C-alpha cells in the first residue's frame, strides 16, 4: 500500500468505528440473494438500517432461486460442520424461521469412501452430538440401504435432524422482515462501487456509505474484475440437478461421496438428483444445462439407487452458478486492505446450510467496524 492509501485506510477505519459506536454506520448491501437478505436482517437485529440494492433480472437466475436447499450438520471439515450444525440448530429451534424457510425435516445420509480418516470422522460426530444431540450415527456396509454397488469399506453418517428448505422463500421473508425493521430495499442494480464507499446505480443515483458489502454471489468475480479490483480467488461455477419421477424407498436427503451423486425427495413421487460439474467462470445471468451430465446422473440413479425409469418424460433440469472461494466458504472478506468495500460471498455450492450463522458473524463485524483481516487478496 502507498502512504496515501494507508492514510486513507486509517481515516476510513476511524470514521467507521465512530459511526458504529453511535449506531449510525451507513451500510449498503449489493445483492438480494440469501446472503444479502440474511445480512440485512441480521444488521437490523443490531439496530442498523442498511440499504440493499438488488436486480430483478438477476433474481431470476441467481443461486438462491435455483438452490436445492439441502441441510445437514455433517461436513468432513470440522469448521464447516460447526457452521452448518449451528445454523440448522437455530432454524430447528425457531418456528418463525422454519415457517419462513418452508423447512421439511428428513433423514440425511452422507456416504463416505473407504479410507475416510476415522479420527476426523469421530471429531465431527462428537461436535454434532453437542449441537444436535442424538441426531447423527455412523453406519457401515451392509447396513447402507438403498445404496447399491458401494465400494467395500464405505461408511455413512446418517442424521435424523436434517432436511431441506426453500432458500428463495427464506430470502423473501428475511428481506420483508428487514424492511419492517427499517432497512430499505432498492430494485436498482449497482453499476459501480468505489473502494471508499461510493455507490453508483443503473438508475443514476450516487450515494456514500461507511461500509458497502458485495453480496452478489456468482456475479462477484466479474464485478470486481470490471472495477479493477482483485478477485481474491473467488470464481463462479455451474451447478446442475434434475427433478424426475421415481423415488428410492426410504431415502431422504443424501450425498454419495463415492460417486458424487446427491439428492432429495422433491414432492410426491419425485426425486431431485445431481452430480457436481467442473465448469468454472460461467456467466450467472445465462446458465446453460448440460445434457451429457443429466444422462450420467440418470445412469448413476439406475446403477446406485435402482431407479431404472428415473427421471421420466416430464423431467426438469435446473442449472445456475454459485460463487466458490479458495477457503472458508460464505464470509466477510476485505476487497482491499482498509477499504469500505467488503464482500460477503463464496458459498461454494453449500451456503444455504449455514447462511444464517455466517450472516450473524458478518453483521457483528460490520456493526463493530472491524475489517476482516483474513483472506486479503494478494
Ligand atoms: C443449483 C444450486 C443448488 C444448490 N443447492 C444447495 C443445497 O442443496 N444446499 C445448500 O446448502 N446450498 C446449495 N446451493 C448453494 C446456495 O444456494 C448458495 O450458496 C446461496 O444461495 C448463495 O446465495 P448468494 O446470495 O450468495 O448468491 P445469489 O443467490 O446468486 O444472489 C446474488 C444476488 O446478487 C444480485 N446482483 C448481482 N449483481 C448485482 C448488481 N450489480 N446490483 C444489484 N444486485 C446484483 C443478483 O441479482 C442476485 O440476486 C446451491 C446452489 C445452486 C446454484
Amino acid at each position: 500500500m502507498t502512504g496515501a492509501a494507508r492514510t486513507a485506510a486509517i481515516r476510513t477505519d476511524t470514521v467507521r468505528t465512530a459511526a458504529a459506536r453511535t449506531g449510525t454506520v451507513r451500510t449498503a448491501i449489493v445483492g438480494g440473494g440469501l446472503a444479502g437478505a440474511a445480512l440485512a436482517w441480521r444488521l437490523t437485529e443490531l439496530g442498523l438500517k442498511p440499504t440493499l440494492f438488488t436486480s430483478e433480472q438477476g433474481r431470476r437466475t441467481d443461486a438462491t432461486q435455483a438452490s436445492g436447499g439441502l441441510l445437514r450438520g455433517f461436513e468432513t471439515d470440522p469448521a464447516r460442520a460447526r457452521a452448518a450444525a449451528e445454523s440448522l440448530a437455530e432454524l430447528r429451534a425457531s418456528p418463525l424461521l422454519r415457517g419462513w424457510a418452508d423447512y421439511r425435516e428428513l433423514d440425511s445420509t452422507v456416504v463416505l469412501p473407504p479410507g475416510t480418516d476415522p479420527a476426523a470422522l469421530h471429531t465431527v460426530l462428537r461436535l454434532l452430538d453437542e449441537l444436535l444431540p442424538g441426531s447423527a450415527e455412523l453406519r457401515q456396509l451392509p447396513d447402507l440401504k438403498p445404496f447399491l454397488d458401494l465400494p467395500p469399506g464405505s461408511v455413512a453418517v446418517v442424521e435424523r435432524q436434517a432436511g431441506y428448505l426453500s432458500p428463495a422463500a427464506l430470502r423473501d421473508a428475511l428481506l420483508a422482515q428487514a424492511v419492517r425493521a427499517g432497512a430499505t430495499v432498492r430494485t436498482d442494480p449497482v453499476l459501480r462501487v468505489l473502494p471508499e464507499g461510493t455507490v453508483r446505480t443503473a438508475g443514476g443515483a450516487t450515494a456514500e456509505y461507511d461500509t458497502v458489502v458485495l453480496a452478489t454471489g456468482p456475479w462477484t468475480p466479474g464485478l470486481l474484475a470490471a472495477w479493477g479490483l482483485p478477485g481474491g480467488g473467488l470464481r463462479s461455477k455451474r451447478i446442475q440437478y434434475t427433478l424426475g419421477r421415481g423415488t428410492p424407498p426410504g431415502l431422504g436427503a443424501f450425498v454419495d461421496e463415492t460417486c458424487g451423486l446427491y439428492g432429495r425427495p422433491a414432492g410426491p413421487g419425485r426425486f431431485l438428483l445431481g452430480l457436481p460439474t467442473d465448469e468454472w467462470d460461467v456467466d450467472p445471468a445465462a446458465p446453460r444445462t448440460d445434457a451429457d451430465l443429466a444422462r450420467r446422473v440418470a445412469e448413476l440413479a439406475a446403477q446406485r439407487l435402482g431407479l431404472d425409469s428415473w427421471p421420466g418424460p416430464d423431467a426438469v433440469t435446473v442449472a445456475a452458478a454459485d460463487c466458490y472461494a479458495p477457503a472458508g466458504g460464505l464470509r466477510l472478506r476485505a476487497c482491499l486492505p482498509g477499504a469500505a468495500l467488503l464482500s460477503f460471498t463464496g458459498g461454494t455450492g453449500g451456503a444455504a446450510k449455514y447462511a444464517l450463522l455466517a450472516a450473524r458473524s458478518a453483521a457483528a463485524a460490520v456493526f463493530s467496524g472491524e475489517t476482516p483481516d483474513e483472506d486479503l487478496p494478494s
Side-chain angles (χ1 to χ4, degrees):
M1 229 191 322
T2 64
R6 193 178 301 279
T7 309
I10 291 166
R11 193 185 56 77
T12 308
D13 269 0
T14 312
V15 170
R16 251 200 254 157
T17 311
R21 259 194 241 112
T22 57
T24 57
V25 66
R26 296 166 305 167
T27 310
I29 299 168
V30 185
L34 183 57
L39 179 60
W41 174 62
R42 292 296 199 195
L43 285 171
T44 59
E45 286 191 322
L46 296 176
L48 299 187
K49 295 184 172 159
T51 300
L52 183 142
F53 295 91
T54 190
S55 146
E56 206 41 54
Q57 202 182 350
R59 267 173 69 104
R60 287 186 217 126
T61 63
D62 69 13
T64 300
Q65 196 63 38
S67 180
L70 269 76
L71 302 183
R72 60 174 186 273
F74 180 78
E75 295 282 326
T76 43
D77 173 63
R80 285 189 190 211
R82 177 172 284 284
E86 282 186 12
S87 245
L88 182 54
E90 178 178 7
L91 182 78
R92 293 186 76 255
S94 162
L96 193 65
L97 282 174
R98 286 204 309 269
W100 286 351
D102 199 11
Y103 174 66
R104 313 288 167 100
E105 190 138 297
L106 287 173
D107 281 3
S108 159
T109 304
V110 179
V111 181
L112 297 159
T116 303
D117 177 8
L121 206 50
H122 283 288
T123 303
V124 174
L125 286 170
R126 270 198 303 277
L127 182 81
L128 291 185
D129 215 35
E130 187 192 305
L131 297 168
L132 298 162
S135 178
E137 69 176 44
L138 192 61
R139 289 201 195 148
Q140 324 263 350
L141 279 171
D143 187 22
L144 294 182
K145 294 197 183 75
F147 299 96
L148 308 169
D149 218 13
L150 287 177
S154 301
V155 295
V157 175
V158 179
E159 290 169 81
R160 280 177 209 91
Q161 299 165 25
Y164 65 98
L165 51 67
S166 164
L170 181 57
R171 167 249 302 273
D172 289 348
L174 292 174
L175 279 181
Q177 182 57 29
V179 168
R180 280 194 288 276
T184 302
V185 175
R186 297 221 168 112
T187 307
D188 188 5
V190 167
L191 290 183
R192 181 83 202 253
V193 183
L194 300 178
E196 71 273 15
T198 306
V199 172
R200 291 192 194 129
T201 70
T206 299
E208 308 288 330
Y209 294 92
D210 301 305
T211 301
V212 182
V213 181
L214 270 189
T216 41
W219 280 264
T220 312
L223 290 173
L224 291 173
W227 300 340
L229 296 170
L234 298 173
R235 292 176 77 184
S236 66
K237 188 181 177 191
R238 200 166 63 81
I239 303 177
Q240 174 176 312
Y241 59 75
T242 298
L243 295 157
R245 218 160 264 290
T247 52
L251 187 60
F254 80 94
V255 180
D256 178 353
E257 292 192 355
T258 70
C259 67
L261 196 66
Y262 62 85
R264 65 161 170 83
R270 289 169 75 81
F271 215 84
L272 173 163
L273 289 171
L275 274 175
T277 78
D278 202 14
E279 202 176 323
W280 291 94
D281 307 320
V282 294
D283 176 2
R288 67 167 196 102
T289 52
D290 175 346
D292 282 344
L293 183 66
R295 257 193 301 279
R296 284 210 300 285
V297 172
E299 281 162 19
L300 278 174
Q303 186 193 333
R304 293 300 192 99
L305 298 170
L307 291 177
D308 293 327
S309 56
W310 185 95
D314 58 350
V316 178
T317 295
V318 174
D322 197 10
C323 184
Y324 282 64
L330 174 65
R331 71 175 185 221
L332 207 61
R333 296 175 172 87
C335 290
L336 283 175
L341 177 59
L342 309 170
S343 70
F344 181 54
T345 184
T348 307
K353 277 193 278 303
Y354 58 87
L356 289 173
L357 189 88
R360 184 201 293 272
S361 314
V366 168
F367 179 78
S368 65
E370 279 166 28
T371 307
D373 56 4
E374 296 169 273
D375 293 334
L376 284 176
S378 52

